[in-house]
Amino acid sequence: MAGTSADHEDMYKVKTSLKLRTDPGRCLSDMPVVLPHEAIVSELLQFPDATTSLAAAVAAGNLPSSYTNHPVVQASLEPVHPLCLYLDGVAFTRTDQLLGIWVYLLLTGRRHLVAVVRRSEMCGCGCQGWDTLFPLMSMLSWSFGSLARGSYPALRHDDTPWGDDIGRQSFANLQFGFKAVVLLVKGDWAEYNHTVGFPACTSKAAPCPLCCCTKETMHDLDNFSPLSAGFAEATLETYNAACQACETHVVIPPEHIDRVRAALEYDVRKK
């Protein structure tokens, strides 16, 4: 977290937007994080029995269909560990909270703290804090992709060279000997809403991130059963279609870009 005195020289740095007390506006700051793929590699080296537990669970058929049907699992000849991404708020003063991001193997439960963000330091330009969270989400996607491939990344999360990070550069493309896939994103509704970006339960169009109900129909239980929520399942396709229906594309001629940029200003009002 920005402003701490902890020794984090070996930690990976993610450049993100923050609103610091020492700066009147927002600033770009290097936030130290623990890379999920490095944490999982370290755990499996320290506790090799996790691979034995995985083999036993697979042989006994104790893992869900979301694991057995996963394309990485079906195509891999190496052991594939199931992962969980966990997000939650932690109160540390009467007026402020921390957002904690953890990663852990579902079969061991050993949590690895990946990143900590102070809520009051999140960008306040009107983006609802997303300018702070997006680089962290990009880092998570990049690291999880590395775990799914089973090898160390060749470039940083923003596709730039490693630069002075000689240690991580020396591991580029080396194989783990295993793979891992995210099967669960765990958190309360506030984190799904604010941090992950799903609509709130008060949304008129999409109060549920899992199905296609509306605010008027979400309490309709006529077709509800132990096997079905009674509504069509929300998928990536339905999400993309909803986004496209709300998008308005505007083409700005090159000669007008400077005028438009000069007219932009930060709007910190909630709406």
Side-chain angles (χ1 to χ4, degrees):
M1 183 177 68
T4 62
S5 59
D7 182 10
H8 46 67
E9 289 298 322
D10 294 333
M11 299 179 72
Y12 186 80
K13 307 301 192 302
V14 176
K15 192 172 291 295
T16 187
S17 298
L18 293 176
K19 180 181 62 178
L20 303 180
R21 295 180 180 179
T22 56
D23 196 303
R26 73 172 183 175
C27 64
L28 289 177
S29 178
D30 287 330
M31 181 176 293
V33 301
V34 174
L35 294 178
H37 64 270
E38 293 182 355
I40 297 302
V41 168
S42 177
E43 176 182 346
L44 293 180
L45 288 175
Q46 187 177 359
F47 302 100
D49 58 315
T51 302
T52 305
S53 300
L54 172 65
V58 171
N62 293 334
L63 296 175
S65 59
S66 58
Y67 174 84
T68 56
N69 294 334
H70 198 288
V72 173
V73 175
Q74 293 182 344
S76 178
L77 300 177
E78 300 170 313
V80 181
H81 292 269
L83 279 173
C84 174
L85 171 65
Y86 175 48
L87 311 102
D88 201 4
V90 181
F92 76 102
T93 69
R94 298 179 63 181
T95 58
D96 203 356
Q97 276 192 337
L98 301 173
L99 169 64
I101 302 177
W102 291 265
V103 170
Y104 63 90
L105 294 174
L106 288 172
L107 294 181
T108 68
R110 297 185 184 95
R111 291 186 180 179
H112 304 279
L113 181 60
V114 173
V116 177
V117 187
R118 191 169 179 171
R119 297 280 193 186
S120 62
E121 292 182 346
M122 287 187 177
C123 181
C125 73
C127 66
Q128 303 288 327
W130 193 242
D131 285 351
T132 300
L133 294 174
F134 182 78
L136 295 176
M137 293 298 175
S138 297
M139 177 275 297
L140 289 173
S141 175
W142 163 78
S143 185
F144 290 147
S146 178
L147 285 166
R149 292 190 304 272
S151 62
Y152 286 95
L155 298 171
R156 287 175 50 85
H157 74 285
D158 53 4
D159 292 330
T160 58
W162 290 106
D164 296 334
D165 199 343
I166 305 300
R168 291 187 173 89
Q169 185 179 19
S170 65
F171 281 91
N173 296 319
L174 289 181
Q175 299 294 310
F176 298 148
F178 70 90
K179 296 180 180 179
V181 293
V182 178
L183 292 191
L184 175 65
V185 178
K186 183 180 179 182
D188 57 27
W189 202 299
E191 298 309 328
Y192 288 139
N193 171 220
H194 178 269
T195 306
V196 183
F198 286 115
C201 59
T202 55
S203 167
K204 293 183 179 180
C208 177
L210 302 179
C211 70
C212 295
C213 69
T214 64
K215 187 175 182 179
E216 288 74 21
T217 63
M218 66 181 298
H219 297 296
D220 184 358
L221 304 180
D222 290 345
N223 296 316
F224 184 80
S225 73
L227 301 178
S228 172
F231 302 99
E233 181 181 358
T235 64
L236 179 61
E237 289 72 23
T238 61
Y239 176 80
N240 287 336
C243 291
Q244 291 174 3
C246 297
E247 290 176 351
T248 301
H249 294 269
V250 178
V251 178
I252 302 176
E255 61 270 19
H256 297 322
I257 289 180
D258 289 340
R259 291 175 54 201
V260 172
R261 183 184 293 118
L264 297 177
E265 62 181 13
Y266 287 133
D267 187 347
V268 298
R269 293 173 296 177
K270 292 184 178 181
K271 296 185 178 180

